[in-house]
Amino acid sequence: MWAFIHKLGSPKWFYALSARLQPWFWALAAVLIVIGTLWGLAFAPADYQQGNSFRIIYIHVPAAFLAQSVFVSMAVAGLVFMVWKIKVADMAAAVMAPFGAAMTFVALFSGAVWGVPTWGTWWMWDARLTSMLILLFLYLGVIALRGSFASRHSGARAASVLAMVGVINIPVIKYSVDWWYTLHQPATFSVTSSPAMPVSMWLPLLVMVVGFYSFFIALTLMRTRNEILRRESNKRWVKELFQEAQ
Amino acid sequence: MAFSSFADFLAMGGHAPYVWSAWGVTLFFLLASVGHARLERRQLIRGLKRRQRRDQAYRASPQNSTGGQNAPAGGGHHDA
């Protein structure tokens, strides 16, 4: 196990392993997102109260899940980098931040657009909405902080610390709908009870959620590989990858 | 199928602007993420190859044929 973790920390080994894993995650993501989109948009029944605006759930919930999961992954990667000095962990954390910010924006945007026909307002300083907005600012802060140091190592350390501190916002987001029940409805999925929706509504949602997670994994693998090429461009093994026939 | 016609599907029961704008923004970010990652990879590989060619040309030129002691900046040193 330790040998495996140690190997995973080696950019060369990670580059080889991720090359084999990547196509599977891309394929899974593409298939599930296409199926989930068609299913959710055209085949799932309309909600008896909300009508067809309810279909926004099929992107809103996966994006909101990812917005939080990406932040936790980034904080864990930051911790691994700080404790064990594993460079690949920092490369992964660096490429996760922009995607996490994008997903947070998507969750906020789709929620606002959904709020107009459903709540009659696109924004309210509700606890869930506000804590998600704070999450977006945390992502932007992590990205800005990383870029604001002359040395890459200092930037990486500062970004890791902010990610680890900022992770406190995640339980606040999760429990905000229970602690301050103002506007946003409570969770759709829970581990302990069955969903309040019929199967024909939540199954396509599950497909979309798994599809979005696969997309995140595939994208992170691909961009971490890019980051390895960028940072390790002086290493012999990288040069040998692109040796042209003489 | 929850709709009786394609026009019905596009209209989304009067909720078309909300449903389609939410979907459009999401797809834009997903596709842009993939596009950016692919472009990034192509550019990095092009840069690595260009440097390789430059290093080779440097080593092949007559005044540098004696060895690799004075390698150009950014290349030539083996730190594997």
Side-chain angles (χ1 to χ4, degrees):
Chain A
M1 182 66 191
W2 279 109
F4 175 76
I5 291 174
H6 188 75
K7 266 187 176 174
L8 203 59
S10 136
K12 183 182 177 182
W13 201 79
F14 182 92
Y15 194 86
L17 177 73
S18 55
R20 275 183 288 145
L21 292 176
Q22 203 189 189
W24 296 102
F25 283 106
W26 282 124
L28 188 65
V31 169
L32 292 182
I33 291 174
V34 168
I35 291 176
T37 298
L38 291 176
W39 196 349
L41 277 179
F43 292 94
D47 185 75
Y48 79 102
Q49 279 182 322
Q50 299 185 14
N52 287 305
S53 67
F54 142 86
R55 298 181 193 283
I56 293 173
I57 200 173
Y58 297 116
I59 44 175
H60 178 74
V61 168
F65 275 11
L66 269 192
Q68 297 166 72
S69 302
V70 173
F71 202 93
V72 173
S73 313
M74 194 173 75
V76 169
L79 183 74
V80 169
F81 169 67
M82 294 287 273
V83 175
W84 289 288
K85 313 276 178 258
I86 293 173
K87 277 187 288 178
V88 173
D90 178 58
M91 297 182 198
V95 302
M96 281 176 198
F99 183 66
M103 286 301 106
T104 310
F105 178 80
V106 165
L108 284 167
F109 180 86
S110 58
V113 156
W114 193 3
V116 175
T118 315
W119 296 332
T121 178
W122 62 274
W123 185 261
M124 218 180 97
W125 294 99
D126 160 85
R128 171 61 69 84
L129 276 60
T130 309
S131 52
M132 278 300 275
L133 187 64
I134 291 171
L135 184 69
L136 180 61
F137 292 147
L138 279 171
Y139 272 120
L140 298 179
V142 167
I143 295 168
L145 196 58
R146 179 181 287 278
S148 60
F149 286 83
S151 115
R152 175 184 286 153
H153 190 72
S154 308
R157 287 174 62 93
S160 302
V161 170
L162 182 56
M164 284 187 277
V165 173
V167 97
I168 191 70
N169 189 39
I170 298 299
V172 174
I173 294 174
K174 179 161 170 36
Y175 295 109
S176 58
V177 283
D178 305 320
W179 293 341
W180 307 281
Y181 189 12
T182 47
L183 184 63
H184 196 285
Q185 61 171 332
T188 308
F189 281 146
S190 105
V191 187
T192 49
S193 62
S194 56
M197 288 190 280
V199 186
S200 56
M201 281 183 172
W202 66 253
L203 203 54
L205 180 54
L206 193 64
V207 169
M208 281 301 255
V209 168
V210 178
F212 270 56
Y213 273 93
S214 305
F215 185 94
F216 164 53
I217 295 169
L219 184 72
T220 304
L221 289 177
M222 185 172 184
R223 290 210 58 220
T224 304
R225 288 162 61 76
N226 289 351
E227 202 62 22
I228 289 174
L229 290 185
R230 193 192 326 269
R231 296 196 198 176
E232 308 274 287
S233 60
N234 279 327
K235 294 277 159 52
R236 178 175 232 163
W237 73 269
V238 173
K239 287 180 182 169
E240 282 168 356
L241 280 178
F242 302 103
Q243 207 98 62
E244 282 164 348
Q246 298 185 37
Chain B
M1 193 79 174
F3 300 94
S4 53
S5 68
F6 189 67
D8 227 25
F9 171 67
L10 290 181
M12 278 286 154
H15 287 142
Y18 312 115
V19 174
W20 295 120
S21 66
W23 232 275
V25 166
T26 310
L27 284 184
F28 167 79
F29 274 104
L30 292 185
L31 293 178
S33 303
V34 181
H36 167 244
R38 286 173 58 115
L39 187 71
E40 188 182 39
R41 178 167 171 82
R42 255 204 307 272
Q43 282 174 344
L44 282 163
I45 290 174
R46 203 182 300 141
L48 282 164
K49 283 189 172 160
R50 195 189 303 126
R51 209 167 80 180
Q52 201 123 55
R53 275 196 299 275
R54 205 175 53 209
D55 288 0
Q56 268 164 19
Y58 181 86
R59 264 183 251 117
S61 67
Q63 64 265 45
N64 301 305
S65 57
T66 47
Q69 274 97 348
N70 299 313
H77 59 100
H78 301 301
D79 49 349

